[in-house]
Short mmCIF file of all heavy atoms in Angstrom, two decimals:
data_model
loop_
_atom_site.label_atom_id
_atom_site.label_comp_id
_atom_site.label_asym_id
_atom_site.label_seq_id
_atom_site.Cartn_x
_atom_site.Cartn_y
_atom_site.Cartn_z
N LEU Y 20 -82.64 23.18 47.24
CA LEU Y 20 -83.72 23.53 48.18
C LEU Y 20 -83.19 24.03 49.50
O LEU Y 20 -83.81 24.81 50.18
CB LEU Y 20 -84.63 22.32 48.41
CG LEU Y 20 -85.86 22.31 47.51
CD1 LEU Y 20 -85.54 21.68 46.16
CD2 LEU Y 20 -87.01 21.58 48.16
N ASN Y 206 -82.79 33.78 43.31
CA ASN Y 206 -83.64 33.07 42.34
C ASN Y 206 -82.79 32.53 41.18
O ASN Y 206 -81.59 32.83 41.10
CB ASN Y 206 -84.72 34.02 41.84
CG ASN Y 206 -84.09 35.26 41.23
OD1 ASN Y 206 -83.69 35.27 40.07
ND2 ASN Y 206 -83.91 36.30 42.04
N LEU Y 233 -84.06 33.72 32.93
CA LEU Y 233 -85.37 34.28 33.26
C LEU Y 233 -86.44 33.86 32.26
O LEU Y 233 -87.63 33.79 32.57
CB LEU Y 233 -85.29 35.82 33.29
CG LEU Y 233 -86.53 36.55 33.78
CD1 LEU Y 233 -86.69 36.41 35.29
CD2 LEU Y 233 -86.49 38.04 33.42
N PRO Y 236 -90.34 29.14 31.43
CA PRO Y 236 -91.70 29.27 31.97
C PRO Y 236 -91.84 29.00 33.46
O PRO Y 236 -92.82 29.39 34.06
CB PRO Y 236 -92.52 28.26 31.16
CG PRO Y 236 -91.52 27.31 30.59
CD PRO Y 236 -90.24 28.07 30.43
N LEU Y 237 -90.85 28.33 34.08
CA LEU Y 237 -90.94 28.14 35.53
C LEU Y 237 -90.49 29.39 36.27
O LEU Y 237 -90.72 29.54 37.46
CB LEU Y 237 -90.10 26.94 35.98
CG LEU Y 237 -90.55 25.58 35.48
CD1 LEU Y 237 -89.76 24.48 36.15
CD2 LEU Y 237 -92.05 25.36 35.66
N HIS Y 238 -89.81 30.28 35.55
CA HIS Y 238 -89.29 31.51 36.17
C HIS Y 238 -90.04 32.69 35.54
O HIS Y 238 -91.27 32.72 35.55
CB HIS Y 238 -87.77 31.52 35.94
CG HIS Y 238 -86.98 32.52 36.72
ND1 HIS Y 238 -87.49 33.26 37.75
CD2 HIS Y 238 -85.67 32.92 36.60
CE1 HIS Y 238 -86.55 34.06 38.24
NE2 HIS Y 238 -85.43 33.87 37.55
N GLY Y 239 -89.32 33.65 34.95
CA GLY Y 239 -89.97 34.86 34.44
C GLY Y 239 -90.96 34.60 33.32
O GLY Y 239 -91.93 35.35 33.13
N GLY Y 240 -90.70 33.54 32.56
CA GLY Y 240 -91.59 33.20 31.44
C GLY Y 240 -93.00 32.85 31.91
O GLY Y 240 -93.93 32.74 31.09
N ALA Y 241 -93.19 32.71 33.24
CA ALA Y 241 -94.51 32.37 33.76
C ALA Y 241 -95.53 33.47 33.46
O ALA Y 241 -96.71 33.19 33.29
CB ALA Y 241 -94.44 32.11 35.27
N VAL Y 245 -99.13 32.70 32.02
CA VAL Y 245 -100.38 33.02 32.73
C VAL Y 245 -101.38 33.63 31.74
O VAL Y 245 -102.53 33.19 31.65
CB VAL Y 245 -100.15 34.05 33.88
CG1 VAL Y 245 -101.47 34.54 34.46
CG2 VAL Y 245 -99.29 33.46 34.97
N ALA Y 266 -104.24 21.03 35.89
CA ALA Y 266 -103.08 21.43 36.70
C ALA Y 266 -102.75 20.39 37.77
O ALA Y 266 -101.60 20.23 38.17
CB ALA Y 266 -103.35 22.79 37.35
N LYS Y 267 -103.77 19.66 38.22
CA LYS Y 267 -103.54 18.69 39.31
C LYS Y 267 -103.18 17.29 38.79
O LYS Y 267 -102.74 16.45 39.56
CB LYS Y 267 -104.82 18.60 40.19
CG LYS Y 267 -105.12 19.90 40.91
CD LYS Y 267 -106.25 19.77 41.90
CE LYS Y 267 -107.60 19.74 41.24
NZ LYS Y 267 -108.71 19.68 42.21
N LYS Y 269 -101.19 14.53 37.51
CA LYS Y 269 -99.75 14.27 37.52
C LYS Y 269 -99.24 13.68 36.21
O LYS Y 269 -98.03 13.61 35.97
CB LYS Y 269 -99.38 13.33 38.69
CG LYS Y 269 -99.60 13.99 40.06
CD LYS Y 269 -98.58 15.09 40.29
CE LYS Y 269 -98.97 15.97 41.45
NZ LYS Y 269 -98.21 17.21 41.52
N PHE Y 273 -98.83 20.15 32.33
CA PHE Y 273 -99.37 21.51 32.54
C PHE Y 273 -99.35 21.89 34.02
O PHE Y 273 -99.75 21.11 34.88
CB PHE Y 273 -100.80 21.57 32.00
CG PHE Y 273 -101.50 22.88 32.28
CD1 PHE Y 273 -101.25 24.00 31.51
CD2 PHE Y 273 -102.41 22.98 33.33
CE1 PHE Y 273 -101.90 25.21 31.77
CE2 PHE Y 273 -103.05 24.19 33.61
CZ PHE Y 273 -102.80 25.29 32.82
N ARG Y 274 -98.91 23.09 34.31
CA ARG Y 274 -98.98 23.65 35.67
C ARG Y 274 -99.73 24.96 35.60
O ARG Y 274 -99.67 25.64 34.58
CB ARG Y 274 -97.59 23.92 36.21
CG ARG Y 274 -96.92 22.68 36.68
CD ARG Y 274 -95.63 23.00 37.41
NE ARG Y 274 -95.17 21.80 38.09
CZ ARG Y 274 -94.29 21.79 39.06
NH1 ARG Y 274 -93.77 22.92 39.49
NH2 ARG Y 274 -93.92 20.67 39.63
N LEU Y 275 -100.36 25.31 36.68
CA LEU Y 275 -101.07 26.58 36.70
C LEU Y 275 -100.05 27.70 36.93
O LEU Y 275 -99.64 27.97 38.07
CB LEU Y 275 -102.13 26.56 37.80
CG LEU Y 275 -103.18 27.66 37.72
CD1 LEU Y 275 -103.87 27.66 36.36
CD2 LEU Y 275 -104.21 27.47 38.82
N SER Y 276 -99.62 28.31 35.82
CA SER Y 276 -98.60 29.36 35.92
C SER Y 276 -99.14 30.51 36.75
O SER Y 276 -100.33 30.81 36.71
CB SER Y 276 -98.22 29.86 34.54
OG SER Y 276 -97.57 28.83 33.86
N GLY Y 277 -98.23 31.15 37.50
CA GLY Y 277 -98.66 32.25 38.37
C GLY Y 277 -99.03 31.76 39.76
O GLY Y 277 -99.41 32.55 40.61
N PHE Y 278 -98.90 30.43 39.98
CA PHE Y 278 -99.16 29.87 41.32
C PHE Y 278 -97.95 29.10 41.81
O PHE Y 278 -97.29 28.41 41.04
CB PHE Y 278 -100.37 28.92 41.29
CG PHE Y 278 -101.65 29.67 41.43
CD1 PHE Y 278 -102.22 30.28 40.33
CD2 PHE Y 278 -102.26 29.82 42.67
CE1 PHE Y 278 -103.39 31.01 40.45
CE2 PHE Y 278 -103.42 30.55 42.81
CZ PHE Y 278 -104.00 31.14 41.69
N GLY Y 279 -97.69 29.22 43.10
CA GLY Y 279 -96.61 28.45 43.71
C GLY Y 279 -95.31 29.23 43.71
O GLY Y 279 -95.09 30.12 42.86
N HIS Y 280 -94.49 28.94 44.67
CA HIS Y 280 -93.19 29.61 44.76
C HIS Y 280 -92.28 28.77 45.64
O HIS Y 280 -92.73 28.18 46.62
CB HIS Y 280 -93.34 31.01 45.36
CG HIS Y 280 -92.14 31.86 45.12
ND1 HIS Y 280 -91.06 31.87 45.97
CD2 HIS Y 280 -91.85 32.71 44.10
CE1 HIS Y 280 -90.15 32.69 45.47
NE2 HIS Y 280 -90.59 33.21 44.35
N ARG Y 281 -91.00 28.75 45.30
CA ARG Y 281 -90.04 27.99 46.10
C ARG Y 281 -89.95 28.54 47.52
O ARG Y 281 -89.82 27.76 48.48
CB ARG Y 281 -88.67 28.04 45.41
CG ARG Y 281 -87.51 27.44 46.19
CD ARG Y 281 -87.67 25.95 46.48
NE ARG Y 281 -87.72 25.13 45.29
CZ ARG Y 281 -86.68 24.76 44.57
NH1 ARG Y 281 -85.46 25.14 44.91
NH2 ARG Y 281 -86.83 24.00 43.50
N LYS Y 284 -94.60 30.45 51.03
CA LYS Y 284 -95.60 29.42 51.35
C LYS Y 284 -96.85 30.13 51.87
O LYS Y 284 -97.64 29.61 52.64
CB LYS Y 284 -95.05 28.40 52.36
CG LYS Y 284 -93.81 27.69 51.83
CD LYS Y 284 -94.07 26.94 50.49
CE LYS Y 284 -92.77 26.54 49.79
NZ LYS Y 284 -92.92 26.25 48.35
N ASP Y 287 -97.80 35.76 47.98
CA ASP Y 287 -96.63 36.53 47.57
C ASP Y 287 -96.94 38.03 47.78
O ASP Y 287 -97.91 38.55 47.22
CB ASP Y 287 -96.38 36.22 46.08
CG ASP Y 287 -95.15 36.89 45.49
OD1 ASP Y 287 -94.76 37.95 46.00
OD2 ASP Y 287 -94.63 36.36 44.48
N ARG Y 289 -95.69 40.58 46.58
CA ARG Y 289 -95.66 41.32 45.31
C ARG Y 289 -96.98 41.17 44.57
O ARG Y 289 -97.48 42.10 43.94
CB ARG Y 289 -94.50 40.80 44.45
CG ARG Y 289 -93.15 40.91 45.12
CD ARG Y 289 -92.08 40.14 44.39
NE ARG Y 289 -92.37 38.71 44.31
CZ ARG Y 289 -91.66 37.83 43.65
NH1 ARG Y 289 -90.60 38.24 42.96
NH2 ARG Y 289 -91.99 36.56 43.64
N TYR Y 326 -105.79 20.41 46.82
CA TYR Y 326 -104.46 20.19 46.23
C TYR Y 326 -103.58 21.44 46.42
O TYR Y 326 -102.44 21.36 46.86
CB TYR Y 326 -104.61 19.87 44.74
CG TYR Y 326 -103.33 19.78 43.94
CD1 TYR Y 326 -102.77 18.53 43.63
CD2 TYR Y 326 -102.67 20.92 43.47
CE1 TYR Y 326 -101.60 18.45 42.87
CE2 TYR Y 326 -101.51 20.84 42.72
CZ TYR Y 326 -100.97 19.60 42.43
OH TYR Y 326 -99.82 19.52 41.69
N PHE Y 327 -104.14 22.61 46.10
CA PHE Y 327 -103.38 23.86 46.20
C PHE Y 327 -103.14 24.25 47.67
O PHE Y 327 -102.07 24.72 48.02
CB PHE Y 327 -104.09 24.99 45.43
CG PHE Y 327 -103.80 24.94 43.95
CD1 PHE Y 327 -104.36 23.94 43.15
CD2 PHE Y 327 -102.95 25.85 43.36
CE1 PHE Y 327 -104.07 23.86 41.80
CE2 PHE Y 327 -102.65 25.79 42.00
CZ PHE Y 327 -103.21 24.79 41.21
N ARG Y 330 -100.42 22.05 49.33
CA ARG Y 330 -99.06 22.36 48.83
C ARG Y 330 -98.69 23.82 49.01
O ARG Y 330 -97.64 24.26 48.55
CB ARG Y 330 -98.96 21.95 47.36
CG ARG Y 330 -98.96 20.45 47.16
CD ARG Y 330 -99.13 20.07 45.70
NE ARG Y 330 -99.13 18.63 45.52
CZ ARG Y 330 -100.16 17.83 45.83
NH1 ARG Y 330 -101.26 18.33 46.34
NH2 ARG Y 330 -100.06 16.52 45.63
N LEU Y 332 -99.88 26.56 47.60
CA LEU Y 332 -99.67 27.22 46.30
C LEU Y 332 -100.58 28.45 46.23
O LEU Y 332 -101.79 28.33 46.10
CB LEU Y 332 -100.00 26.25 45.15
CG LEU Y 332 -99.22 24.93 45.14
CD1 LEU Y 332 -99.76 23.98 44.07
CD2 LEU Y 332 -97.73 25.19 44.90
N ASN Y 335 -98.45 34.08 42.70
CA ASN Y 335 -97.13 34.73 42.80
C ASN Y 335 -97.13 36.01 41.96
O ASN Y 335 -98.14 36.37 41.35
CB ASN Y 335 -96.02 33.75 42.41
CG ASN Y 335 -96.16 33.24 40.98
OD1 ASN Y 335 -96.40 34.02 40.06
ND2 ASN Y 335 -96.04 31.92 40.79
N VAL Y 336 -95.97 36.66 41.90
CA VAL Y 336 -95.85 37.97 41.24
C VAL Y 336 -96.33 37.94 39.79
O VAL Y 336 -96.80 38.94 39.27
CB VAL Y 336 -94.38 38.47 41.33
CG1 VAL Y 336 -93.44 37.61 40.49
CG2 VAL Y 336 -94.25 39.93 40.94
N ASP Y 337 -96.21 36.77 39.16
CA ASP Y 337 -96.54 36.70 37.74
C ASP Y 337 -98.04 36.60 37.47
O ASP Y 337 -98.47 36.71 36.33
CB ASP Y 337 -95.84 35.51 37.08
CG ASP Y 337 -94.34 35.72 37.00
OD1 ASP Y 337 -93.94 36.86 36.73
OD2 ASP Y 337 -93.58 34.76 37.22
N PHE Y 358 -90.26 41.94 32.74
CA PHE Y 358 -89.70 41.38 33.98
C PHE Y 358 -88.18 41.62 33.99
O PHE Y 358 -87.60 42.04 34.99
CB PHE Y 358 -90.03 39.88 34.01
CG PHE Y 358 -89.83 39.18 35.34
CD1 PHE Y 358 -90.61 38.08 35.67
CD2 PHE Y 358 -88.87 39.59 36.25
CE1 PHE Y 358 -90.44 37.41 36.87
CE2 PHE Y 358 -88.69 38.92 37.47
CZ PHE Y 358 -89.47 37.83 37.77
N1 CMC I 30 -99.56 24.07 39.41
C1 CMC I 30 -99.77 22.79 39.79
N2 CMC I 30 -99.01 22.13 40.69
C2 CMC I 30 -97.98 22.79 41.22
C3 CMC I 30 -97.69 24.13 40.86
C4 CMC I 30 -98.54 24.77 39.93
N3 CMC I 30 -98.33 26.02 39.57
N4 CMC I 30 -96.60 24.55 41.55
C5 CMC I 30 -96.20 23.51 42.29
N5 CMC I 30 -97.05 22.45 42.11
C6 CMC I 30 -97.00 21.15 42.80
C7 CMC I 30 -95.91 20.26 42.26
O1 CMC I 30 -96.41 19.44 41.22
C8 CMC I 30 -95.54 19.49 43.49
O2 CMC I 30 -96.54 18.52 43.71
P1 CMC I 30 -96.15 17.08 44.39
O3 CMC I 30 -95.67 17.42 45.77
O4 CMC I 30 -97.42 16.33 44.36
O5 CMC I 30 -95.08 16.49 43.52
C9 CMC I 30 -95.64 20.51 44.61
O6 CMC I 30 -96.62 21.44 44.15
C10 CMC I 30 -94.35 21.25 44.93
O7 CMC I 30 -93.86 21.82 43.72
P2 CMC I 30 -92.34 21.85 43.29
O8 CMC I 30 -92.27 21.90 41.81
O9 CMC I 30 -91.60 20.74 43.98
O10 CMC I 30 -91.92 23.21 43.95
P3 CMC I 30 -90.67 24.11 43.52
O11 CMC I 30 -90.34 24.93 44.69
O12 CMC I 30 -89.60 23.25 42.94
O13 CMC I 30 -91.25 25.00 42.32
C11 CMC I 30 -92.27 26.74 41.11
C12 CMC I 30 -91.64 26.32 42.45
C13 CMC I 30 -92.50 28.25 41.13
C14 CMC I 30 -91.30 26.43 39.96
C15 CMC I 30 -93.60 25.99 40.93
O14 CMC I 30 -94.51 26.34 41.94
C16 CMC I 30 -94.21 26.24 39.55
O15 CMC I 30 -93.86 25.56 38.59
N6 CMC I 30 -95.14 27.26 39.42
C17 CMC I 30 -95.67 27.62 38.13
C18 CMC I 30 -94.68 28.52 37.39
C19 CMC I 30 -94.61 29.91 37.98
O16 CMC I 30 -95.63 30.53 38.27
N7 CMC I 30 -93.37 30.42 38.12
C20 CMC I 30 -93.14 31.77 38.63
C21 CMC I 30 -92.58 31.76 40.00
S1 CMC I 30 -92.54 33.37 40.80
C22 CMC I 30 -91.60 34.43 39.84
C23 CMC I 30 -90.33 33.87 39.31
O17 CMC I 30 -89.57 33.20 39.99
O18 CMC I 30 -90.05 34.15 38.15
#
Side-chain angles (χ1 to χ4, degrees):
L20 265 85
N206 57 83
L233 187 74
L237 295 188
H238 193 10
V245 171
K267 295 188 283 183
K269 293 290 166 194
F273 174 79
R274 282 189 168 198
L275 195 54
S276 293
F278 276 82
H280 196 273
R281 173 63 62 78
K284 300 302 165 199
D287 182 334
R289 302 168 299 175
Y326 173 100
F327 279 72
R330 289 169 180 75
L332 303 172
N335 60 46
V336 67
D337 291 321
F358 194 151

